[in-house]
Amino acid sequence: MGKIRIVESIREMQSYCEALRRAGKKISFVPTMGYFHEGHLSLMKEACKQADCVVVSIYVNPTQFGPKEDFSKYPRDFERDREMAQSVGVDVIFFPSNQEMYPETYQTYVDVEQVTKNLCGMSRPGHFRGVTTICCKLFNIVKPHTAIFGKKDFQQLAAIKRMVKDLNMDLEIIGMPTFREPDGLAMSSRNVYLSKEERSSALALVGALKLAQKLYAEGERKADVMIQQAESLIKSAPFTEIDYIKICDTSTLEDVNEIKQEAVMALAVKVGKTRLIDNSVLGEELKA
Ligand code: PAF
């Protein structure tokens, strides 16, 4: 396995990827904010299966954090990330600075209007505008054939797919199943913020999703019944504060009352000071 290449400049990244494309090589891309866990590595492994060259970006994107959110304390450890990416066969890490990505003159944003309204869009105004903007920029820099995202960020994936379709971007977006700890907790870089006690309360999120799946399998189709039971389960766990628990149409992400089409239960819960999200498409196996 060759030594991983680190690229900090946009120009260098673009000409490197352009040369690969001209040589007929397939590029797969995993955009990240770093502080890798097994979930990130599973996306990178998938990318390695698909392509001749795998590029991973590590960039904590300031435009997707609200003023009161954890931008400055978001966990970062470049050396650890570099070793982990190298161990699974990643070829290039794109690691730009803020100055490189958003120089003083910067003024262009991509806004996906509908699928970003509900769920996290309600409690994190501007978040998805930041996500779609940075992904659009990264796609123009890395020029990948495929880009791989985790399904834990269900709404993020929907917004990116919408952007790619609406703006006729020439790449395929691939969603991979949520990677979970052995006890079911969805992997997230933010899990490191949890104390031991909060960590066990956080299991209520996956517990609520499992309960919804059980009710759905038993024939329940009323969203409010399922939401209310999920809510009681989460409220019974200490340190939890529910932001939302919703059941939405998987394509529009609008709330549904009676489940007649494919629907997802999505939830966001603060455990102590840490905001966690998780989701599960009803009727799909929840591997936990
Ligand atoms: O999911 C993430 O880590 C980020 O939102 C992304 C897609 C890398 C954009 O900054």
Side-chain angles (χ1 to χ4, degrees):
M1 202 179 292
K3 196 164 178 281
I4 200 162
R5 181 174 179 139
I6 313 296
V7 177
E8 294 183 13
S9 116
I10 293 175
R11 269 286 3 119
E12 184 187 339
M13 193 71 245
Q14 281 175 323
S15 48
Y16 183 83
C17 291
E18 195 48 48
L20 284 171
R21 276 194 165 245
R22 264 192 262 113
K25 304 283 184 206
K26 185 171 173 192
I27 305 169
S28 188
F29 177 43
V30 183
T32 80
M33 299 205 299
Y35 213 72
F36 297 154
H37 49 66
E38 283 298 323
H40 292 112
L41 298 186
S42 74
L43 305 184
M44 296 175 205
K45 285 177 194 161
E46 178 60 30
C48 291
K49 279 193 217 148
Q50 292 186 6
D52 303 302
C53 176
V54 174
V55 180
V56 170
S57 61
I58 300 181
Y59 181 61
V60 185
N61 171 38
T63 64
Q64 70 187 74
F65 288 79
K68 294 200 179 110
E69 293 181 0
D70 56 346
F71 172 68
S72 53
K73 77 173 190 44
Y74 194 85
R76 292 160 169 93
D77 189 339
F78 181 76
E79 269 318 300
R80 175 177 165 275
D81 287 348
R82 194 184 55 74
E83 276 167 31
M84 288 170 84
Q86 162 107 29
S87 76
V88 293
V90 168
D91 300 284
V92 183
I93 294 179
F94 179 53
F95 184 53
S97 66
N98 288 335
Q99 181 55 33
E100 187 75 353
M101 294 307 271
Y102 297 109
E104 271 91 80
T105 50
Y106 193 84
Q107 48 189 295
T108 305
Y109 294 87
V110 181
D111 207 349
V112 174
E113 294 185 352
Q114 295 300 329
V115 294
T116 61
K117 278 208 162 42
N118 199 1
L119 305 171
C120 291
M122 296 180 86
S123 31
R124 303 187 71 191
H127 168 68
F128 289 112
R129 180 181 184 255
V131 169
T132 43
T133 299
I134 196 67
C135 287
C136 175
K137 283 168 69 63
L138 289 167
F139 295 163
N140 284 330
I141 295 166
V142 176
K143 307 170 201 260
H145 297 86
T146 61
I148 306 187
F149 294 83
K151 287 189 183 167
K152 181 173 81 73
D153 298 289
F154 196 89
Q155 193 174 17
Q156 164 170 288
L157 182 59
I160 291 164
K161 280 189 170 163
R162 193 71 249 169
M163 169 183 77
V164 165
K165 193 159 195 206
D166 289 351
L167 297 183
N168 313 102
M169 295 177 166
D170 192 12
L171 78 159
E172 189 192 347
I173 301 298
I174 295 167
M176 293 294 292
T178 301
F179 213 82
R180 296 180 181 279
E181 301 279 358
D183 60 6
L185 182 68
M187 289 205 184
S188 162
S189 302
R190 289 189 169 98
N191 290 350
V192 293
Y193 298 148
L194 300 168
S195 69
K196 198 164 156 264
E197 294 74 20
E198 289 166 350
R199 170 74 181 66
S200 48
S201 279
L203 289 175
L205 276 83
V206 67
L209 295 175
K210 281 187 196 160
L211 176 59
Q213 289 288 7
K214 180 172 168 286
L215 294 170
Y216 185 80
E218 288 166 0
E220 184 57 73
R221 293 294 179 269
K222 285 195 170 40
D224 57 353
V225 172
M226 295 163 85
I227 291 171
Q228 200 217 317
Q229 296 222 24
E231 192 178 301
S232 320
L233 189 146
I234 292 177
K235 279 188 170 159
S236 70
F239 317 110
T240 58
E241 189 189 322
I242 296 169
D243 177 358
Y244 63 76
I245 304 175
K246 287 182 172 236
I247 295 182
C248 300
D249 180 296
T250 50
S251 51
T252 62
L253 294 192
E254 281 167 9
D255 294 351
V256 296
N257 300 322
E258 186 88 24
I259 305 164
K260 294 188 186 127
Q261 64 282 69
E262 191 182 65
V264 58
M265 175 176 267
L267 37 87
V269 177
K270 265 178 96 177
V271 183
K273 288 202 169 90
T274 309
R275 185 176 179 280
L276 301 176
I277 58 171
D278 203 348
N279 70 78
S280 181
V281 173
L282 295 168
E284 267 186 16
E285 192 191 356
L286 203 173
K287 283 205 182 97

